[in-house]
Amino acid sequence: MSKTLKIFLVWLLLIGFTLPSAAYSTQFADSGETLRLHWAAKLIPIAFSTSLIKPNPYVKPDSDIQGAIERSLEAWEKAADIKFQVFWTDKQTVSPTGKSGDGVSLVTIAQTPENLLLFGADANTVSARTRIFFNRRGYITEADIVLNPYEQFSTDGSHGTFDFEATLTHEIGHLLGLDHSSVTGATMNEHQGKNGVYNLSAFSSRTLAEDDLAGIRALYGGNSDEENCCGTLAGKLLSSSGKAAKNYQVWAEEAESGRVAAGVLTNADGVYRVEGLRSGHYKIYAQDFGSETGRSFSVEELGEVNVVKGRTQTLSKKLKSATKDFDVRYIGFNAQVSELAVPVNGGKSYVIYVGGKNLDAGKVAIGFNSPYISVTPKSLTDHKYGADISVVSFEVNVAPETPLGEYSFFVRSAGEATEFAVGSLTVEKFVNSWNSHFLLPRD
Ligand SMILES: [Zn+2]
């Protein structure tokens, strides 16, 4: 049976200016990447434009905009040592580009010429943009957010709209100084789906991933009730030829649960630094982050570390750089594949898809490091999606007691070459009712 190619075009969220960024988590004020953008004060004033709540064509009527705003801000406040001071204003338009703005950090959806300028040619692909102003010392002085008034937003999961709360939560991350994350299921990942992708509501990004939490703790320190915050892991990776292993994804998984704790990318010198980790035991992995054409090398486990509050552990390695003959590019659900994580619930089973090159159900194994998630034996099935992509599906069983968060699965060939889809399954409280059967708790 042949299916038509259903690779979803995924709507990208992009920030309103470009800066070089080696780390997943932070934006830098300088090309040497020494000054990380962040607010100097722990109390951050933010003004919401009445354009968001006045009847308009861009927000579905009766949406709970005020509730969504409160929850978005609270998600970040709970994560780090920061508070927002909220104002409402009749102001509609963001500050134009320049050395400094008007000092008001505005969130708006008004269709004014200056607001529309932020989207340029990307008006049909970007859900929102954030424009940041900062001083020479790397302190953010203003951050303006425009929700794309060419799009439609909602808070009830309406098909074909962007979720207002998910979009705002991501943009507030930029406002605070975070850049995009390499972890697929993180709120700060650059891909955002509209409601309806995978035939699901796109609520995932409302909830911050462990990776997002680590990033914001790295910038502002943990919330005062966070006892185990924070430790740092740092190191340098070399390829087998001795050159700097640049653009490698280095990520930490909680050793016991297999949950993704944080992921970063190595810089041009092969150096990585994961801050904001809670004290605990982690397994550390590295794999080349690849390019448009995919990843070349097999994943490598760097080792296990005990991260201790207030300390920096180092873990450096010369990699074996073993090549592999397959590639994992897409994840999928309900016969659709995209670059978005699949949200699942504990206590249920789901059929997950993986798409890429040279994937063959008879030749690869798929599994999870987490003791909470298993792949049903012999459930791997090939699907024909066209000549340019090979797609395999498999059934996963998510134990009822699985901690909420992001989990990775691996694809391994007979030759032991392995690739991880980092944080591609996100265990959530939002209901994904497409389960294939219910599971009982383990005794
Ligand atoms: Zn973004």
Side-chain angles (χ1 to χ4, degrees), residues 12-16 27 126-130 167 170-171 173-174 178-181 187-191:
L12 300 182
L13 284 164
L14 298 164
I15 52 175
Q27 304 168 27
V126 178
S127 63
R129 278 195 191 273
T130 299
T167 306
H170 176 101
E171 296 302 322
H174 287 320
L178 292 179
D179 202 344
H180 287 144
S181 167
T187 295
M188 293 315 294
N189 189 273
E190 67 176 333
H191 300 112

mmCIF file of all heavy atoms in Angstrom, residues 12-16 27 126-130 167 170-171 173-174 178-181 187-191, ligand 1:
data_model
loop_
_atom_site.group_PDB
_atom_site.id
_atom_site.type_symbol
_atom_site.label_atom_id
_atom_site.label_comp_id
_atom_site.label_asym_id
_atom_site.label_seq_id
_atom_site.Cartn_x
_atom_site.Cartn_y
_atom_site.Cartn_z
ATOM 1 N N LEU A 12 8.120 27.747 11.516
ATOM 2 C CA LEU A 12 9.290 28.077 12.317
ATOM 3 C C LEU A 12 9.045 29.330 13.134
ATOM 4 O O LEU A 12 8.408 30.263 12.692
ATOM 5 C CB LEU A 12 10.495 28.346 11.412
ATOM 6 C CG LEU A 12 10.912 27.201 10.516
ATOM 7 C CD1 LEU A 12 12.139 27.607 9.733
ATOM 8 C CD2 LEU A 12 11.192 25.965 11.328
ATOM 9 N N LEU A 13 9.571 29.286 14.331
ATOM 10 C CA LEU A 13 9.611 30.488 15.152
ATOM 11 C C LEU A 13 11.035 30.980 15.094
ATOM 12 O O LEU A 13 11.950 30.247 15.372
ATOM 13 C CB LEU A 13 9.329 30.126 16.599
ATOM 14 C CG LEU A 13 7.903 29.817 16.981
ATOM 15 C CD1 LEU A 13 7.899 29.129 18.310
ATOM 16 C CD2 LEU A 13 7.118 31.095 17.043
ATOM 17 N N LEU A 14 11.206 32.214 14.744
ATOM 18 C CA LEU A 14 12.565 32.726 14.664
ATOM 19 C C LEU A 14 12.657 34.034 15.415
ATOM 20 O O LEU A 14 11.691 34.765 15.523
ATOM 21 C CB LEU A 14 12.956 32.954 13.196
ATOM 22 C CG LEU A 14 12.960 31.687 12.348
ATOM 23 C CD1 LEU A 14 12.975 32.045 10.882
ATOM 24 C CD2 LEU A 14 14.147 30.822 12.695
ATOM 25 N N ILE A 15 13.833 34.293 15.925
ATOM 26 C CA ILE A 15 14.008 35.540 16.639
ATOM 27 C C ILE A 15 14.264 36.668 15.655
ATOM 28 O O ILE A 15 14.602 36.427 14.507
ATOM 29 C CB ILE A 15 15.160 35.445 17.649
ATOM 30 C CG1 ILE A 15 16.417 34.917 16.962
ATOM 31 C CG2 ILE A 15 14.767 34.564 18.804
ATOM 32 C CD1 ILE A 15 17.619 34.904 17.840
ATOM 33 N N GLY A 16 14.073 37.882 16.120
ATOM 34 C CA GLY A 16 14.062 39.025 15.225
ATOM 35 C C GLY A 16 15.422 39.576 14.844
ATOM 36 O O GLY A 16 15.523 40.608 14.227
ATOM 37 N N GLN A 27 21.676 33.735 24.256
ATOM 38 C CA GLN A 27 22.079 34.604 23.161
ATOM 39 C C GLN A 27 23.248 35.441 23.652
ATOM 40 O O GLN A 27 23.317 35.790 24.814
ATOM 41 C CB GLN A 27 20.937 35.526 22.766
ATOM 42 C CG GLN A 27 19.669 34.786 22.394
ATOM 43 C CD GLN A 27 18.488 35.719 22.284
ATOM 44 O OE1 GLN A 27 18.639 36.896 22.006
ATOM 45 N NE2 GLN A 27 17.309 35.193 22.516
ATOM 46 N N VAL A 126 6.259 32.151 9.977
ATOM 47 C CA VAL A 126 6.732 32.453 11.327
ATOM 48 C C VAL A 126 5.550 32.881 12.194
ATOM 49 O O VAL A 126 4.743 33.702 11.788
ATOM 50 C CB VAL A 126 7.785 33.584 11.275
ATOM 51 C CG1 VAL A 126 8.254 33.951 12.663
ATOM 52 C CG2 VAL A 126 8.962 33.163 10.420
ATOM 53 N N SER A 127 5.434 32.339 13.375
ATOM 54 C CA SER A 127 4.274 32.639 14.217
ATOM 55 C C SER A 127 4.463 33.905 15.045
ATOM 56 O O SER A 127 3.497 34.554 15.418
ATOM 57 C CB SER A 127 3.981 31.468 15.152
ATOM 58 O OG SER A 127 5.062 31.263 16.023
ATOM 59 N N ALA A 128 5.706 34.243 15.353
ATOM 60 C CA ALA A 128 5.966 35.428 16.173
ATOM 61 C C ALA A 128 7.438 35.784 16.070
ATOM 62 O O ALA A 128 8.253 34.953 15.685
ATOM 63 C CB ALA A 128 5.612 35.139 17.635
ATOM 64 N N ARG A 129 7.740 37.017 16.413
ATOM 65 C CA ARG A 129 9.144 37.421 16.455
ATOM 66 C C ARG A 129 9.395 38.287 17.681
ATOM 67 O O ARG A 129 8.514 39.006 18.144
ATOM 68 C CB ARG A 129 9.536 38.199 15.199
ATOM 69 C CG ARG A 129 9.857 37.324 14.015
ATOM 70 C CD ARG A 129 10.582 38.143 12.964
ATOM 71 N NE ARG A 129 10.706 37.441 11.703
ATOM 72 C CZ ARG A 129 11.704 36.619 11.420
ATOM 73 N NH1 ARG A 129 12.659 36.386 12.293
ATOM 74 N NH2 ARG A 129 11.766 36.039 10.239
ATOM 75 N N THR A 130 10.642 38.209 18.151
ATOM 76 C CA THR A 130 11.054 39.012 19.295
ATOM 77 C C THR A 130 12.249 39.870 18.884
ATOM 78 O O THR A 130 13.188 39.363 18.268
ATOM 79 C CB THR A 130 11.450 38.108 20.478
ATOM 80 O OG1 THR A 130 10.319 37.334 20.857
ATOM 81 C CG2 THR A 130 11.911 38.934 21.676
ATOM 82 N N THR A 167 2.958 29.750 21.885
ATOM 83 C CA THR A 167 3.754 30.736 21.155
ATOM 84 C C THR A 167 4.347 31.766 22.106
ATOM 85 O O THR A 167 5.540 32.087 22.045
ATOM 86 C CB THR A 167 2.878 31.462 20.109
ATOM 87 O OG1 THR A 167 2.238 30.483 19.282
ATOM 88 C CG2 THR A 167 3.698 32.398 19.250
ATOM 89 N N HIS A 170 7.239 30.457 24.312
ATOM 90 C CA HIS A 170 8.488 30.396 23.550
ATOM 91 C C HIS A 170 9.104 31.795 23.416
ATOM 92 O O HIS A 170 10.303 31.987 23.672
ATOM 93 C CB HIS A 170 8.203 29.801 22.162
ATOM 94 C CG HIS A 170 9.380 29.775 21.243
ATOM 95 N ND1 HIS A 170 10.130 28.647 21.011
ATOM 96 C CD2 HIS A 170 9.952 30.752 20.483
ATOM 97 C CE1 HIS A 170 11.110 28.934 20.166
ATOM 98 N NE2 HIS A 170 11.013 30.204 19.825
ATOM 99 N N GLU A 171 8.304 32.774 23.046
ATOM 100 C CA GLU A 171 8.847 34.123 22.824
ATOM 101 C C GLU A 171 9.324 34.771 24.131
ATOM 102 O O GLU A 171 10.286 35.540 24.126
ATOM 103 C CB GLU A 171 7.814 35.018 22.124
ATOM 104 C CG GLU A 171 7.426 34.555 20.721
ATOM 105 C CD GLU A 171 8.598 34.431 19.750
ATOM 106 O OE1 GLU A 171 9.516 35.278 19.808
ATOM 107 O OE2 GLU A 171 8.608 33.475 18.952
ATOM 108 N N GLY A 173 10.749 33.195 26.401
ATOM 109 C CA GLY A 173 12.097 32.621 26.534
ATOM 110 C C GLY A 173 13.131 33.465 25.808
ATOM 111 O O GLY A 173 14.214 33.749 26.337
ATOM 112 N N HIS A 174 12.806 33.934 24.586
ATOM 113 C CA HIS A 174 13.709 34.846 23.858
ATOM 114 C C HIS A 174 13.844 36.170 24.604
ATOM 115 O O HIS A 174 14.944 36.719 24.723
ATOM 116 C CB HIS A 174 13.181 35.122 22.453
ATOM 117 C CG HIS A 174 13.331 33.968 21.507
ATOM 118 N ND1 HIS A 174 14.442 33.169 21.475
ATOM 119 C CD2 HIS A 174 12.503 33.490 20.542
ATOM 120 C CE1 HIS A 174 14.298 32.242 20.536
ATOM 121 N NE2 HIS A 174 13.119 32.423 19.959
ATOM 122 N N LEU A 178 17.109 33.589 26.045
ATOM 123 C CA LEU A 178 17.382 32.244 25.539
ATOM 124 C C LEU A 178 17.354 32.205 24.015
ATOM 125 O O LEU A 178 16.594 32.926 23.379
ATOM 126 C CB LEU A 178 16.357 31.241 26.082
ATOM 127 C CG LEU A 178 16.427 30.948 27.576
ATOM 128 C CD1 LEU A 178 15.342 29.955 27.967
ATOM 129 C CD2 LEU A 178 17.798 30.416 27.959
ATOM 130 N N ASP A 179 18.181 31.341 23.477
ATOM 131 C CA ASP A 179 18.182 31.083 22.044
ATOM 132 C C ASP A 179 17.480 29.741 21.805
ATOM 133 O O ASP A 179 16.944 29.142 22.728
ATOM 134 C CB ASP A 179 19.635 31.042 21.534
ATOM 135 C CG ASP A 179 19.724 31.310 20.043
ATOM 136 O OD1 ASP A 179 18.690 31.229 19.352
ATOM 137 O OD2 ASP A 179 20.837 31.596 19.564
ATOM 138 N N HIS A 180 17.520 29.251 20.579
ATOM 139 C CA HIS A 180 16.822 27.998 20.276
ATOM 140 C C HIS A 180 17.562 26.794 20.827
ATOM 141 O O HIS A 180 18.784 26.786 20.950
ATOM 142 C CB HIS A 180 16.621 27.864 18.769
ATOM 143 C CG HIS A 180 15.571 28.793 18.255
ATOM 144 N ND1 HIS A 180 15.628 29.412 17.045
ATOM 145 C CD2 HIS A 180 14.424 29.207 18.834
ATOM 146 C CE1 HIS A 180 14.561 30.172 16.879
ATOM 147 N NE2 HIS A 180 13.818 30.070 17.962
ATOM 148 N N SER A 181 16.806 25.746 21.129
ATOM 149 C CA SER A 181 17.343 24.515 21.708
ATOM 150 C C SER A 181 17.446 23.422 20.666
ATOM 151 O O SER A 181 16.629 23.332 19.755
ATOM 152 C CB SER A 181 16.428 24.053 22.835
ATOM 153 O OG SER A 181 16.745 22.731 23.203
ATOM 154 N N THR A 187 10.480 23.619 24.679
ATOM 155 C CA THR A 187 9.706 24.800 24.285
ATOM 156 C C THR A 187 10.549 25.727 23.418
ATOM 157 O O THR A 187 10.035 26.371 22.508
ATOM 158 C CB THR A 187 9.211 25.544 25.538
ATOM 159 O OG1 THR A 187 8.284 24.690 26.223
ATOM 160 C CG2 THR A 187 8.531 26.854 25.190
ATOM 161 N N MET A 188 11.864 25.783 23.681
ATOM 162 C CA MET A 188 12.730 26.675 22.917
ATOM 163 C C MET A 188 13.252 26.043 21.621
ATOM 164 O O MET A 188 14.089 26.630 20.943
ATOM 165 C CB MET A 188 13.895 27.176 23.779
ATOM 166 C CG MET A 188 13.485 28.104 24.924
ATOM 167 S SD MET A 188 12.289 29.394 24.474
ATOM 168 C CE MET A 188 13.280 30.386 23.339
ATOM 169 N N ASN A 189 12.760 24.856 21.247
ATOM 170 C CA ASN A 189 13.102 24.334 19.920
ATOM 171 C C ASN A 189 12.512 25.276 18.871
ATOM 172 O O ASN A 189 11.460 25.881 19.087
ATOM 173 C CB ASN A 189 12.550 22.920 19.742
ATOM 174 C CG ASN A 189 13.059 22.262 18.468
ATOM 175 O OD1 ASN A 189 12.476 22.432 17.404
ATOM 176 N ND2 ASN A 189 14.161 21.561 18.573
ATOM 177 N N GLU A 190 13.205 25.393 17.727
ATOM 178 C CA GLU A 190 12.772 26.401 16.751
ATOM 179 C C GLU A 190 11.492 26.009 16.010
ATOM 180 O O GLU A 190 10.873 26.844 15.357
ATOM 181 C CB GLU A 190 13.887 26.686 15.744
ATOM 182 C CG GLU A 190 14.194 25.525 14.837
ATOM 183 C CD GLU A 190 15.248 25.883 13.796
ATOM 184 O OE1 GLU A 190 15.356 27.062 13.443
ATOM 185 O OE2 GLU A 190 15.952 24.976 13.357
ATOM 186 N N HIS A 191 11.081 24.750 16.079
ATOM 187 C CA HIS A 191 9.889 24.336 15.345
ATOM 188 C C HIS A 191 8.643 24.415 16.211
ATOM 189 O O HIS A 191 8.649 23.963 17.345
ATOM 190 C CB HIS A 191 10.054 22.905 14.840
ATOM 191 C CG HIS A 191 11.221 22.736 13.921
ATOM 192 N ND1 HIS A 191 12.344 22.014 14.263
ATOM 193 C CD2 HIS A 191 11.449 23.238 12.695
ATOM 194 C CE1 HIS A 191 13.200 22.060 13.265
ATOM 195 N NE2 HIS A 191 12.695 22.802 12.304
HETATM 196 ZN ZN ZN B 1 12.226 31.211 18.490
#
